[in-house]
Amino acid sequence: MRNLLKINLFLFALIAIVMAITGCSSLQGKVKNDSYVAPAEIFSCPIPYSKLAHPVEIQDTLDKEKGVVMGGSLRFLGWAGVYRIDYMAATNASLQEEINRMLNIQLDWYRQIPSPQAHMLHQEFDGEHLFAVLVAPEGQLDITDKYGKHPDLCRSMLIFRHGYYIYAVSGDADDFLEVKSDDKSPERMNRLRKDINEFSETINFSTATPN
């Protein structure tokens, strides 16, 4: 079904070539043995080739204060979608307050997508992890269907605390051609939860004090 989409593969291939030539020199973290290692080795994560296919572009940001890592972000971008890890230093607030703080940040970012009525479709909290699904109608701006419309963007997300940081691990849903973006049936929510859980489980977290 993807052959019905006009995906700008030339632009993505060009970006991939540039990244290959530069050796990802602009990264704040580093790539080693097909894995990304975050600054101060806060966490590491295998590059998700099996989910995104080759090539995968890697982008990251870093927020440091007086030499201490306060937060940052990591994005794996492939033609099949995006996986993202955002993190920020935890405070003395309760876990629920910290998770809500990260969720509000994610929602603010999501609402910056040029899309009508970006919103949260679903959320559930198990006491440690918040699972959420965000939707941005017509938000896939790099893809156009045969009618000239942009497909909806749907992202599943896990927010949780590990060690000294609050994490938001998210990924684009790959079923945007098969179901309506506002479908929150138990079957679909379970499928999206399974996908983001599988990605989250590949992350190796450090227990060392941040520096």
Side-chain angles (χ1 to χ4, degrees), residues 62-105:
L62 176 65
D63 177 21
K64 292 184 74 171
E65 292 184 12
K66 298 180 180 180
V68 177
V69 175
M70 301 302 295
S73 66
L74 164 66
R75 291 200 299 169
F76 295 118
L77 297 89
W79 72 268
V82 176
Y83 282 95
R84 179 168 181 145
I85 302 172
D86 297 294
Y87 56 101
M88 63 183 184
T91 68
N92 293 326
S94 68
L95 177 60
Q96 186 69 69
E97 290 174 325
E98 293 284 63
I99 286 178
N100 287 340
R101 180 164 65 104
M102 176 62 91
L103 178 60
N104 288 333
I105 290 173

Side-chain angles (χ1 to χ4, degrees), residues 6-20:
K6 300 175 183 176
I7 304 177
N8 194 342
L9 292 177
F10 173 77
L11 179 58
F12 186 80
L14 182 61
I15 293 172
I17 291 171
V18 172
M19 294 295 289

Side-chain angles (χ1 to χ4, degrees), residues 27 29-38 41 44-47 58:
L27 288 178
K30 58 186 178 181
V31 174
K32 183 178 181 181
N33 298 327
D34 286 337
S35 289
Y36 171 86
V37 182
E41 299 185 351
S44 63
C45 180
I47 301 171
I58 303 173

Side-chain angles (χ1 to χ4, degrees), residues 40-65:
E41 299 185 351
I42 294 170
F43 67 86
S44 63
C45 180
I47 301 171
Y49 290 121
S50 62
K51 291 182 177 292
L52 297 179
H54 288 268
V56 173
E57 181 190 354
I58 303 173
Q59 299 176 351
D60 67 357
T61 65
L62 176 65
D63 177 21
K64 292 184 74 171
E65 292 184 12

Side-chain angles (χ1 to χ4, degrees), residues 107 110-121 133-143 145 148-155 176 179-183 188:
L107 283 169
Y110 214 64
R111 287 168 179 151
Q112 293 176 21
I113 298 173
S115 164
Q117 299 178 339
H119 62 282
M120 182 162 57
L121 177 68
V133 178
L134 310 182
V135 173
E138 302 178 30
Q140 299 212 45
L141 304 180
D142 58 338
I143 301 177
D145 66 18
K149 293 187 62 176
H150 300 299
D152 296 344
L153 179 62
C154 182
R155 180 168 296 168
F176 58 88
V179 300
K180 293 182 178 180
S181 62
D182 60 355
D183 177 3
R188 185 177 188 231

